[in-house]
Amino acid sequence: MSLSGKVAIVTGAARGIGASIALKLAQEGAKVAITYATSSSTPKAAALVSRLSELGTSGIAIQADLADDTAPNQIVAKTLSGFGVDHIDILVNNAGVADVHPVEEVTRDMYDNVFAINTRAVFFMTQAVLPYISKGGRIIHVSSTNARTGMPGTAVYSASKVALEAFTRVMAAEFGPKYGVTVSAVNPGPVATDMYLSAPDTLRETMDELVKNVPAGGRMGTPEDIADIVSFLASENSRWVSGNVVTANGGMVMM
Ligand SMILES: NC(=O)c1ccc[n+]([C@@H]2O[C@H](COP(=O)([O-])OP(=O)(O)OC[C@H]3O[C@@H](n4cnc5c(N)ncnc54)[C@H](OP(=O)(O)O)[C@@H]3O)[C@@H](O)[C@H]2O)c1
């Protein structure tokens, strides 16, 4: 197992893509702290923690709203105390929200909420982990193909993900020499999670048509497709990858 004994945090991991990432890292031997925000996800987080212990590793579930500025330090403190360790090896900044509206309908609250979770929380979650990151550690951001396309209705979401790609490059340049850490991002295309299924019909109809021509296979991505790529980026095998956005969309968006 490539991640045996490693300590990982995966944000937004009670369901969707994050849950698959947490499971995959655990299958590779990592101890995984699963974060989530809403009480309705508590049973899912608990079930995932049980599954991790059945795999012979361990997990802890941490409820924390990443819109709250105190959440990053709380997550780090609970991870260290929960596993009885003094370091963190892997941070996957996966938690995200999408709020799809034409520009004219976007309110300041909608704008601020998307940036608070998708962008500001990623920045400060990363900052909170740095004092504990191990040499050879991995920081992985979950971006989106929307960072590189112009889908109507996604201006704020897309911009929030563009920022993650900038974080990836600058953090890679800063953290490599200082901490011996690599920083990467993945950019999934459509994956049939709650987020995707709650998008407006018009956006889903456009996406459903586009996925028919995905070069690696005429289909949507699965959470497992994304988790396998994140698992590679979390492993020693990705030691010479840093500062990149790694295609996680079957070639739907190639740059
Ligand atoms: N699905 C797609 O088609 C797609 C495509 C490209 C990129 N992505 C990206 O992939 C990531 C995961 O998306 P998904 O599709 O798996 O979404 P999802 O099924 O809606 O899950 C989102 C996760 O983020 C957590 N979250 C939301 N708001 C939060 C907050 N305020 N504080 C802490 N956690 C919060 C949720 O926690 P709760 O469970 O507690 O609500 C949930 O675990 C996101 O960054 C998304 O932008 C998704």
Side-chain angles (χ1 to χ4, degrees):
M1 289 190 291
S2 64
L3 301 176
S4 206
K6 301 280 185 193
V7 177
I9 298 173
V10 184
T11 66
R15 58 196 174 93
I17 293 170
S20 280
I21 293 171
L23 186 59
K24 180 68 187 175
L25 299 186
Q27 284 166 340
E28 292 297 330
K31 303 176 205 294
V32 188
I34 294 156
T35 90
Y36 65 101
T38 54
S39 296
S40 60
S41 285
T42 300
K44 290 178 195 150
L48 188 53
V49 166
S50 300
R51 216 164 151 202
L52 266 46
S53 51
E54 284 160 22
L55 288 170
T57 182
S58 51
I60 50 174
I62 303 170
Q63 184 174 9
D65 182 350
L66 282 163
D68 179 343
D69 288 340
T70 64
N73 284 333
Q74 281 178 33
I75 291 168
V76 169
K78 286 181 180 173
T79 301
L80 297 173
S81 64
F83 292 131
V85 295
D86 60 3
H87 68 280
I88 292 160
D89 301 295
I90 300 159
L91 169 64
V92 183
N93 282 309
N94 167 79
V97 290
D99 204 349
V100 178
H101 298 279
V103 169
E104 298 89 327
E105 293 173 16
V106 174
T107 65
R108 280 174 170 70
D109 280 351
M110 289 173 190
Y111 187 105
D112 289 347
N113 185 50
V114 170
F115 268 83
I117 311 305
N118 292 7
T119 307
R120 193 180 68 199
V122 168
F123 187 91
F124 288 104
M125 192 62 230
T126 304
Q127 192 186 66
V129 161
L130 286 179
Y132 307 97
I133 196 82
S134 60
K135 190 165 165 36
R138 300 283 187 263
I139 294 168
I140 301 159
H141 306 313
V142 179
S143 178
S144 165
T145 49
N146 285 110
R148 290 149 189 247
T149 59
M151 287 281 163
T154 70
V156 179
Y157 177 76
S158 299
S160 75
K161 295 297 190 179
V162 171
L164 292 198
E165 301 196 0
F167 289 168
T168 303
R169 291 184 282 272
V170 178
M171 288 174 176
E174 288 191 19
F175 301 167
K178 273 190 212 160
Y179 304 101
V181 162
T182 65
V183 185
S184 302
V186 294
N187 61 349
V191 178
T193 62
D194 296 337
M195 176 184 284
Y196 182 78
L197 297 172
S198 63
D201 290 348
T202 46
L203 182 67
R204 275 191 290 113
E205 280 157 19
T206 306
M207 291 291 205
D208 289 349
E209 209 43 48
L210 283 174
V211 298
K212 291 179 185 162
N213 296 316
V214 169
R219 63 170 177 81
M220 297 180 72
T222 64
E224 293 74 22
D225 289 332
I226 314 307
D228 282 346
I229 299 165
V230 171
S231 160
F232 160 71
L233 291 171
S235 75
E236 168 62 15
N237 286 344
S238 73
R239 62 194 169 276
W240 212 232
V241 180
S242 197
N244 277 107
V245 181
V246 177
T247 299
N249 52 70
M252 183 176 171
V253 173
M254 292 188 183
M255 38 163 215

